[in-house]
Amino acid sequence: MGHRLDRGGHIDRSQRLSFRWNGRRIDAYAGDTIASALLAEDVHIVGRGMKYHRPRGVLSAGVEEPNALVTLGRGATLEPNARATMVPVRDGLEVRSQNAWPSLRFDLGRAFDLTSPLWPAGFYNKTFTWPSWHFYEPFIRRTAGLGPPPRLPDPARYEAVNAHCDLLIVGAGPAGLLAARTAVRAGLRVILAEQDYECGVELLRPTAILDEEPAITWVAGVLGELAASRNVTVLTSTTAFGLYDHDSAGLLQRLDLGGGRSPVRQRYWRVRARQVLLATGAIEQPLVFGRNDLPGVMLAGAVRQYANRYAVAAGRRVVLATNNDSAYLAALDLVSAGVEVPLLVDSRATVPAVLGERVRQCGIEIVTEAAPVHAMGRNRLKGLGIARLGTGSAASSTREIECDALGMSGGWAPAVHLYSQTRGPLKFDETRRCFVPPGDLTPLCAGAVTGTVTLTETFEDAGRAVRLALARAGVSGHVPIEAPKPDEPAMSAQAGAARAAAPGRHREWLDFQHDVTVADVTLAVDEGFDHIELIKRFTTAGMAVDQGKTSNLNTLLVASALRQQPPARTGATTFRPPYTPVTLGALAGRQVGERYAPRRLLPAHAEHEALHAHWWEAGGWMRPACYPRKDEAAHDAVAREAAAVRAGVGVFDASPLGKIEVQGRDAARFLDRFYINNMATLEPGRVRYGLMLNENGVIIDDGTVARLGDDHFVVTTTSGGAIRVAAWFEEWRQCEWSDLEVFVTPVTTQWATIAVAGPRSRELLGHFETDIALDAATFPHMSLRAGRFAGAPCRLYRVSFSGELGYEINVPARFGAALWRALLAEGAELDVVPYGVETLLLLRLEKGFLDVGVDTDGSTCPLDVGWGEVAARKRADFIGKRSLTREDNQRPDRLQLVGLTAADAGPLVPGAHLRLAGTRLGSDGWVTSAALSPAVGRPIALAMLRGGRARLGETVTLLDLARQGTATVVPSAFYDPEGKRLHG
Amino acid sequence: MAEKIAVLVGQSALPAGGRVLGETLHLSVMPARAVVLLRLGARSQKNAGDIRIAGRPLPLAANSWSGDDPVVCRTAPDAWMIISAQHPAEDLLDAAQSGCKRRSFAAADVSDACVTIAIEGPQATDVLARGCGLDFSARAFGQDVCARTRLAQLAVVLRRVNDERFELLVDRSSAAWLHDWLLDAATAVVPGGTRA
């Protein structure tokens, strides 16, 4: 049984901590992880299998842990699926197990295990097809789920940081530390990221000796040197979860795991490195045998690490089983720590000479050419059945031994995940029985990730890699590596079989997190899946949140053996980001709530606020929708404002209206190519409305073009299209028509724009001192004058989007608030009203004016909105012209813009579908804009209707969810169709 | 009718003034400045080195700036931004006109579209790094460097005035949002939080 050792460990025994595990108090020391503390208290069941709910214990001591997934905290700070092996103990922490009901020790879900023959790999693909998968999905998710997500808003602060460096080193073990120190000494800017909460990894064990001193002394020296340098950033508790093109990487720093009180819980580092060096180490693999998922069966390296680093013995009597040399080191360390190790089982024929001798001297029996075949015990390991491997790896005899912990080592799989994410090629190493990077490609790899076994090899390899990195960085001259000299026995990289080919009656587990067995892979192979990517998807092996860190290699080797083909041919799976799960909050960073997206404020924002504007966010702008008076509903305010504009005068803040200056000798030719109507013929001082198309003939924006001078135009666009149209202009100017001398300058926010509309608008403007003549004869509709207005520079438009006499006063933005205040003050005697965007949209709807993007979509061409004749009249070429001649664009049954009226509003709402008389199914169009018009006195709408313009006077059926009604097709201009009022 | 309104009073998007966020970080909204955007035609760019604005040649290196007042920033291959705290935009337009005569060019006053925010202190780059992907090391972003870039999702022109001071030109409509964003980003940078 697991217990705390009396001495040793890298823990602080003077600092006692405690946390609660499923309500039970667990004592620990500073430096413990949740997993080490649970093992020390002999908590052997820490989770339940996802599919069969079998009891599971701690398997590993690191990031690869598939079993010990726990829920931390409660309420808003709840964190599910934390790996207990990676979470340092914090005093008072609440930790709970997952996926078990009613309790971890007695889980009714175990019934799935008893009926396991009914649930083989891919069962849901074959059986849950009727009535549909979604019928079963909720139940499956409840029984097979991981930890529940938090239900409350996360109060923690997350942030994203951009960082640059010459060399990003992932992993601060022996290779990473040596490479970092060397690179920093050479003057490179280095970021060193370590997923553990302290650097050193393998070197933290007390038995590691470097330069005749404990290795930890060397680690401290290197870290001290790095801390003194301004060229390096050392990040602990930081996982490089993604490596992308051009050596950019995503790192997740867990500040909540440290002892400090950072205001930030997690930090997402977006690193752009000139080079990346992966010193990510290797992950020990399990042996494959019957019931190898029983609590007490652990990885040998983990058993060793718990003893060395946390002073925790995994059991009283620990057996080791291996196919490589590394378990011999574990045996020596365990004996040194006072743990009984009666037996070491090695699947190879040859025992390593020096290591074998040392192990035997410790009184440990070594059995060669043998492997475990089944674990004994119900909910925890009680003993082990061992088979001697005969010729062809067939089991020839069996022996049983009593033990309460097994340290198994099925070889080491280099942690090539990040390397693989960049699509780095891998080759299968027959000696080590694993995939390794083939050479010095990009990114560079060093240490165990390349397959090194001893510290000596690791330091040599790190020296080689960092020399290469320095050369690629252009560092000239000799940079000494100064690798320490380890005191360690010689070791071989030779790995033997990880599985005795005698399956017996017990299930052999490959993927502990997704409950995949050898039988599942056998079924996949029997069903004809031949490539590992297919086998993976059929069995789900390697598809859990651990991404198969302890299962991919064994799955591959088993599948290859079954298919009797070399592993290289079966292939390796492709790893994808993230290497370990990433909190969504970290990816969002501070881009949440108020900071989700920038908010643009009008120059007179404070004035609108003072008028209690009802705000509407449109295109990033905070815009007044309307200005409800006390106790007035918004729709009543809109009706009141619209009526006031029709009868008197209203003012509207139109500052977001896109404004682009187009200057240069060829400005007229340039603009003429963008608009469906002629712009080159525009006279100075005049304004023309136009439609802009893309190459497909689809309407993408509309607005006015005003000519200030021969070579100077001002274009207005929709508010949402201001940036897009300027970019569209630039693209054509720079890429297609570079021969034209023309300049494009967006000036939207340079000018505040206040629209004054209504029959008394000229009267209101007359209250201001200006050098611009306002009378209708001198300043007709669709004109522009530059001058001064109330002492400010001004561009005064006479245009109208309301259908009334209207002006748009443009003054430099700093005068916007003052102009707004002055218009309201001077207009008081005219009963002026401020009106908002919703009111404006009602006014334009009454006039039948187009709202691009609302009344049109990504397929609407000018012919559909009644601009066919204008397009046909223009002789000069323009963008989209050719597409208008396509037969499809000229079909008479296309969706065409029409007006609709109805006796009552009912289903006459935007989005309601239309059905022509005589049709019973489908849709013949839809309503694009609708309102109850105060001016017209009844509900009105604009709609796109199949062959609409030929259907004036017809009745169509309206369908809106469960509501149904009828409407009459009418011309789109409902109010003052002759346009007499705006010419007033 | 009463006497006609003759004068409108201008108002900046954000009130000018500085805030001390900690021992090592200051944030200031600068008084309004005149800003003129100068664009040169393709042929004029070839001999842009001959063009002088207020007596100084245009900076030619990509993403560089020069001058005290006016400051001229090269923000694109064919674009320069002329910024002055002392001269009105009309003077800058005149300077551009006289400097570029007989060349293909366009100049536009964008003073009212811009707000200048300065961030200063040893940790200024730490704040900027929370919203901008540029490398602010002295080697990559020295004291003569400016860049048109994105900060906190916004288009800004960023200029390194000296080792620890950066000036940001941001669109007027987004200035308040960016100012708030900078204050927020600084809370994770300044030890013990900001004093803001």
Side-chain angles (χ1 to χ4, degrees), chain A residues 157 159-162 164 166 189 264 267 272 274 590-591 594-601 621 663 665 730 733 741 743-745 747 749-750 766-769 789-791 812-815 817-819 821-822 826, chain B residues 1 3-12 37 39-41 43 78 104-113 129-135 137 139 152-154 171-174 176-177 180-181 184-185 187-188:
Chain A
R157 181 187 174 101
E159 66 173 16
V161 179
N162 297 285
H164 297 255
D166 297 316
R189 278 191 302 162
V264 177
R267 185 174 291 142
R272 293 163 178 88
R274 288 177 188 269
R590 295 298 294 153
Q591 209 175 323
E594 293 285 309
R595 292 182 187 83
Y596 176 68
R599 284 190 177 169
R600 308 182 74 181
L601 303 186
W621 287 92
Q663 295 166 274
R665 192 181 59 206
E730 279 293 351
R733 186 186 79 86
E741 186 186 299
F743 304 95
V744 175
T745 311
V747 290
T749 50
Q750 167 67 17
H767 286 229
F768 293 84
E769 199 168 285
F789 189 88
R814 64 183 180 278
F815 297 114
L819 177 61
R821 287 194 300 267
E826 289 301 306
Chain B
M1 189 175 70
E3 194 172 337
K4 291 187 176 185
I5 296 290
V7 179
L8 296 174
V9 179
Q11 183 179 324
S12 61
L37 187 60
R39 308 286 296 268
L40 291 184
R43 275 172 296 167
D78 66 343
S104 160
F105 81 101
D109 176 10
V110 290
S111 311
D112 281 70
R130 276 153 174 77
C132 181
L134 291 182
D135 182 356
S137 67
R139 192 176 67 188
Q153 307 180 63
L154 292 168
D171 188 87
R172 173 193 185 96
S173 64
S174 313
W177 194 87
D180 178 65
W181 185 92
D184 177 72
T187 59

Side-chain angles (χ1 to χ4, degrees), chain A residues 56-267:
Chain A
R56 293 279 162 75
V58 173
L59 179 78
S60 74
V63 71
E64 67 273 27
E65 176 59 34
N67 295 336
L69 300 186
V70 297
T71 296
L72 307 178
R74 184 176 283 279
T77 58
L78 179 143
E79 180 187 351
N81 310 326
R83 291 175 300 279
T85 51
M86 297 299 289
V87 181
V89 169
R90 300 195 296 276
D91 219 12
L93 184 65
E94 187 174 350
V95 186
R96 280 170 294 139
S97 56
Q98 304 180 163
N99 201 34
W101 188 85
S103 71
L104 186 60
R105 289 192 66 84
F106 179 74
D107 178 12
L108 285 175
R110 188 75 189 269
F112 289 103
D113 192 35
L114 302 175
T115 55
S116 60
L118 298 173
W119 323 105
F123 73 95
Y124 48 83
N125 294 326
K126 296 172 180 171
T127 54
F128 289 170
T129 54
W130 185 90
S132 86
W133 157 252
H134 298 295
F135 178 77
Y136 304 96
E137 189 181 359
F139 174 72
I140 296 282
R141 292 212 181 283
R142 264 203 303 279
T143 53
L146 294 167
R151 302 281 178 195
L152 299 172
D154 189 346
R157 181 187 174 101
Y158 302 84
E159 66 173 16
V161 179
N162 297 285
H164 297 255
C165 62
D166 297 316
L167 184 62
L168 167 65
I169 300 174
V170 182
L177 286 173
L178 181 65
R181 187 181 69 178
T182 308
V184 169
R185 284 179 177 176
L188 264 54
R189 278 191 302 162
V190 173
I191 292 176
L192 176 63
E194 169 54 47
Q195 64 190 3
D196 203 340
Y197 59 90
E198 55 187 334
C199 297
V201 194
E202 163 73 3
L203 303 178
L204 294 176
R205 64 185 164 87
T207 51
I209 303 295
L210 295 178
D211 293 337
E212 300 179 354
E213 288 189 55
I216 203 161
T217 307
W218 182 82
V219 172
V222 172
L223 291 175
E225 186 175 335
L226 296 181
S229 170
R230 293 186 61 183
N231 270 353
V232 63
T233 304
V234 179
L235 303 170
T236 52
S237 295
T238 302
T239 303
F241 63 81
L243 189 57
Y244 311 99
D245 290 345
H246 308 294
D247 289 325
S248 62
L251 275 52
L252 181 71
Q253 186 181 20
R254 295 290 306 264
L255 295 153
D256 53 337
L257 296 184
R261 289 181 172 273
S262 169
V264 177
R265 181 184 179 216
Q266 296 180 9
R267 185 174 291 142

Side-chain angles (χ1 to χ4, degrees), chain A residues 903-917:
Chain A
D904 63 277
L908 190 64
V909 293
H913 280 269
L914 309 177
R915 195 171 284 164
L916 296 169

Side-chain angles (χ1 to χ4, degrees), chain A residues 391-408:
Chain A
T391 308
S393 289
S396 55
S397 65
T398 302
R399 166 184 171 185
E400 291 184 352
I401 184 166
E402 192 180 323
C403 61
D404 62 354
L406 169 69
M408 59 179 170

Side-chain angles (χ1 to χ4, degrees), chain A residues 678-690:
Chain A
N678 286 309
M679 292 300 174
T681 57
L682 194 63
E683 297 289 331
R686 296 311 306 267
V687 178
R688 192 167 288 164
Y689 172 81

